[in-house]
Amino acid sequence: MLRAFIIEAAMKVSDAIATRRTIRAFKTDPVSRKTIEEIITLAARAPSGGNLQPWKIHALIGPARDELVRRVAEVRKQHPMGTTPEYHIYPPHLTEPYKTRRFRVGEMMYETMGIPREDKMARLNFFSGNWEFFGAPAGLIFTIDRQMQQGQWADLGMFMQNIMLLARERGLHTCPQEAWALFHPQIREYLNVPENEMIFCGMAIGHADESHPVNSLTSERAPPAEYLTVRETA
Ligand SMILES: Cc1cc2nc3c(=O)[nH]c(=O)nc-3n(C[C@H](O)[C@H](O)[C@H](O)COP(=O)(O)O)c2cc1C
């Protein structure tokens, strides 16, 4: 059954990884329900400790996606940045080198569009595109049962990465979006998410608008010397 989903001339995993990047401007070209269901079904082959498969996902396409965007836009009129998420998106006191890495990617991103640091309004306007799935025709919302611990959150991350790589194999791009966690009450209400589940994050999925300057961003990576220790001798 799963084999039937594997497209011909599949992209190499290395190429899918190398060409995946966060896309923040999408074309309106649709993504079919069939494609989304294929990607998610295949992605669920992700490993998980004890095979718990702790992921839950809502796929929103067409009018269903538009309705979430509309509801959140309504709230944004009064609360442009939503409410406090149910979990810490970043550690409250982020230390180095993580702090600089976070700052740097933000600066690089706004630089692609010529938006300076002082232009807070232009930055907020661009950031607000998160809550329109950056124009993508489909969006995913990931939730996780509150009883789950660090291990299961890692499992969920592997599932999400599978989705992003399978999207590449189909010529699609993605944007993982923790920004949606800021509007968890509206998501919960609209999607009837039970209280025992936490709204972790969203993901835009669609065709990249290659002409938009923000999509020219290639984020940096620290060299292996900063995070890798290899030992060959005891
Ligand atoms: C779980 C997760 C949540 C993210 N949330 C957002 C978000 O809300 N908005 C956004 O523009 N980018 C978001 N990103 C994208 C990161 O900023 C991006 O992955 C990072 O800067 C590295 O760039 P790259 O994905 O292009 O390699 C998120 C990434 C992850 C993994």
Side-chain angles (χ1 to χ4, degrees):
M1 151 84 169
L2 284 175
R3 290 231 156 258
F5 290 163
I6 299 172
I7 59 173
E8 279 177 39
M11 186 182 237
K12 280 168 59 183
V13 176
S14 303
D15 292 337
I17 292 173
T19 62
R20 186 217 57 81
R21 61 192 202 282
T22 294
I23 288 298
R24 297 183 177 90
F26 289 86
K27 295 195 276 198
T28 51
D29 305 23
V31 180
S32 73
R33 175 181 187 145
K34 181 170 168 284
T35 301
I36 300 272
E37 286 179 346
E38 275 181 12
I39 287 175
I40 291 170
T41 309
L42 271 172
R45 294 305 305 173
S48 57
N51 204 21
L52 260 55
Q53 305 162 66
W55 41 79
K56 293 256 179 141
I57 178 165
H58 294 256
L60 304 175
I61 310 166
R65 167 239 180 253
D66 298 346
E67 177 60 12
L68 177 63
V69 168
R70 191 194 64 75
R71 287 179 182 223
V72 167
E74 205 49 48
V75 178
R76 276 170 45 214
K77 288 180 192 163
Q78 298 296 323
H79 305 282
M81 293 299 282
T83 48
T84 309
E86 296 184 284
Y87 67 98
H88 289 295
I89 290 184
Y90 296 107
H93 306 289
L94 194 64
T95 57
E96 294 297 346
Y98 313 108
K99 208 173 158 181
T100 297
R101 289 179 190 163
R102 183 182 176 198
F103 177 80
R104 176 112 181 103
V105 75
E107 288 306 301
M108 286 175 72
M109 183 184 79
Y110 288 114
E111 209 173 283
T112 63
M113 297 175 283
I115 304 178
R117 267 195 83 62
E118 315 74 70
D119 198 345
K120 301 271 182 262
M121 191 49 84
R123 287 189 170 206
L124 177 63
N125 276 343
F126 178 78
F127 189 82
S128 298
N130 266 298
W131 301 302
E132 294 169 0
F133 290 107
F134 290 117
L140 310 176
I141 299 288
F142 298 87
T143 69
I144 185 164
D145 195 305
R146 291 182 198 276
Q147 69 184 294
M148 298 304 172
Q149 303 291 314
Q150 284 93 331
Q152 289 75 50
W153 281 67
D155 298 337
L156 175 54
M158 293 183 228
F159 174 63
M160 289 175 62
Q161 174 74 341
N162 273 359
I163 292 174
M164 293 189 273
L165 298 183
L166 288 160
R168 287 306 304 124
E169 194 183 45
R170 284 153 182 77
L172 299 169
H173 274 286
T174 50
C175 178
Q177 299 180 283
E178 278 154 340
W180 282 105
L182 295 163
F183 289 92
H184 61 94
Q186 291 72 37
I187 296 174
R188 184 175 303 286
E189 189 186 1
Y190 175 45
L191 301 177
N192 291 318
V193 177
E195 281 301 329
N196 66 302
E197 287 175 29
M198 196 184 285
I199 289 149
F200 166 44
C201 135
M203 185 186 290
I205 180 162
H207 297 87
D209 177 356
E210 299 291 358
S211 68
H212 195 292
V214 75
N215 288 337
S216 66
L217 173 67
T218 302
S219 59
E220 298 173 331
R221 290 297 184 276
E226 285 190 32
Y227 59 84
L228 172 67
T229 309
V230 184
R231 286 180 67 147
E232 287 193 296
T233 52

